[in-house]
Amino acid sequence: MIDLHGRNINKLRISLTEVCNMACTYCVSSLKDHRRSPDELSAEEMLSLVRILKEHAGIEKVRLTGGEPLLYSKLTEVVSGIRKMGISSIGITTNGQLLSRKVKKLHEAGLKNVNLSLDSLNTENFKRMGRVGKLNKTLEGIESCLNLGLSVKVNMVVIKGENDNEILEMLEYGVSKGIEIRYLELMGMGLLHKKNENQQVTMDEILSQISTRFSIKPIRADYDSTSLRYEVPGGYFGIIPNKSAPFCSTCSRLRLTSNGNLIGCLSNPAPISIRHLLEHPDPEKSLQKIVKKSISYKQDVAFTGSSLVMSRVGG
């Protein structure tokens, strides 16, 4: 579907559940902040809404998020169901703690790519930033994905004084594994809404660090990519410059929450429920009207911040 700024909104991010098994310091204050929505959709209901969005709103690509999507009991069935609809681009964003024992079945069901959150390669720092979880579990998950031939990207949220001293180490790890590392500038959401200035590590600072050890060449990224991409000897990396070079003007994403709300823009969430369309005999006109309203809230310049916790709206 084309929005008011001429963007083709064809990507759907689905927060399958608000539950997570980690409590990253830039996301929540404790593990208890991750609570399952009392009206969380069943797998069958979620698949029905995805089908409606594919058939009547032009969705072509799906990324499953959370919370932590690997905690969703029927994740494999959801992946399989989406593939059977004719959607071939199916990805997942995960912390990887449960990935090594689940990824084979997910791959067989139709999973094509995996984005892993990995903020530190130091065991103690990994635990400090995530509060819960084990570094070796995420690394094992990455290896399992690579062994299956899945496309893998690693997302590192860079925070001044916490892990910015690991920027080079993370890139060297990525180059050695053939994985594209993506460095994320802090995004003013949830706990960090209007409070992240002193912790911000900018795109220029990231590039400056990397240039001390690698020669850097900018390369082409997809038109609607959130990241700026670069080539270094032996590999690639990206930067998602939420503040330094906002990507709102090319955003092609629509978000679906675990309880059936559409969110067109993180800066101006204005959730609109489409759950009632599950009972609608002919949902096309109603859905298109709702989607148009939802994406009309999209910014065309820059993300302006939100008090929403990311796990509620899909990463």
Side-chain angles (χ1 to χ4, degrees), residues 3-59:
D3 77 348
L4 296 174
H5 305 289
R7 297 170 291 201
N8 182 18
I9 312 302
N10 64 353
K11 294 180 179 178
L12 181 67
R13 293 198 171 201
I14 303 171
S15 176
L16 290 172
T17 181
E18 294 183 20
V19 177
C20 188
N21 51 357
M22 292 184 69
C24 297
T25 54
Y26 51 81
C27 183
V28 291
S29 57
S30 74
L31 197 62
K32 293 180 180 179
D33 290 344
H34 293 302
R35 296 187 180 94
R36 188 182 306 277
S37 174
D39 53 350
E40 183 177 283
L41 293 166
S42 68
E44 293 76 15
E45 290 172 326
M46 183 64 79
L47 285 170
S48 293
L49 290 182
V50 175
R51 181 179 296 280
I52 292 171
L53 286 162
K54 175 188 180 294
E55 293 179 351
H56 305 304
I59 291 301

Side-chain angles (χ1 to χ4, degrees), residues 78-92:
V78 168
V79 172
S80 178
I82 293 172
R83 178 182 59 80
K84 290 175 182 176
M85 294 176 200
I87 297 175
S88 59
S89 180
I90 307 172
I92 190 173

Side-chain angles (χ1 to χ4, degrees), residues 98-132:
L98 303 173
L99 193 56
S100 62
R101 57 191 172 122
K102 295 193 173 188
V103 70
K104 188 174 185 294
K105 287 186 177 180
L106 291 171
H107 178 51
E108 292 170 349
L111 185 68
K112 296 297 183 182
N113 58 80
V114 180
N115 289 356
L116 286 111
S117 299
L118 177 61
D119 298 322
S120 177
L121 290 168
N122 176 279
T123 303
E124 292 183 4
N125 204 31
F126 179 92
K127 185 65 176 287
R128 184 186 62 78
M129 293 185 70
R131 293 195 180 97
V132 187

Side-chain angles (χ1 to χ4, degrees), residues 133-303:
K134 296 180 179 180
L135 174 61
N136 68 295
K137 292 294 184 183
T138 295
L139 296 180
E140 287 171 6
I142 291 173
E143 292 294 337
S144 297
C145 291
L146 294 175
N147 290 337
L148 290 169
L150 284 164
S151 173
V152 176
K153 292 180 181 177
V154 164
N155 293 336
M156 177 186 184
V157 177
V158 185
I159 305 175
K160 189 164 291 185
E162 295 193 22
N163 65 347
D164 54 328
N165 62 329
E166 295 188 57
I167 289 172
L168 285 169
E169 182 183 0
M170 189 68 75
L171 181 53
E172 289 172 342
Y173 167 76
V175 169
S176 71
K177 297 292 184 180
I179 296 171
E180 183 168 322
I181 304 297
R182 300 196 302 179
Y183 301 99
L184 281 67
E185 288 185 347
L186 275 177
M187 200 167 185
M189 291 195 67
L191 291 178
L192 300 178
H193 183 41
K194 298 181 180 180
K195 296 181 180 180
N196 65 331
E197 294 295 330
N198 295 331
Q199 297 174 296
Q200 188 75 243
V201 180
T202 67
M203 176 174 66
D204 286 345
E205 290 173 314
I206 294 169
L207 289 171
S208 178
Q209 275 206 46
I210 293 173
S211 67
T212 64
R213 197 171 302 175
F214 293 89
S215 59
I216 303 173
K217 177 184 177 183
I219 58 174
R220 180 185 175 277
D222 291 341
Y223 171 75
D224 60 350
S225 174
T226 56
S227 68
L228 297 176
R229 298 184 68 233
Y230 302 87
E231 182 178 3
V232 294
Y236 304 89
F237 73 93
I239 298 177
I240 300 180
N242 299 304
K243 189 167 185 178
S244 297
F247 44 81
C248 292
S249 64
T250 60
C251 178
S252 60
R253 292 158 190 80
L254 184 65
R255 287 174 164 83
L256 178 62
T257 68
S258 63
N259 60 350
N261 288 326
L262 282 185
I263 293 180
C265 180
L266 294 179
S267 289
N268 190 7
I272 306 174
S273 179
I274 59 169
R275 189 175 191 136
H276 62 284
L277 297 181
L278 290 168
E279 308 299 327
H280 202 298
D282 186 13
E284 181 176 1
K285 289 183 179 179
S286 296
L287 176 73
Q288 290 182 351
K289 183 177 180 180
I290 292 171
V291 171
K292 284 180 180 179
K293 183 176 181 180
S294 183
I295 63 179
S296 72
Y297 293 118
K298 279 189 173 295
Q299 306 292 305
D300 63 345
V301 180
F303 174 68

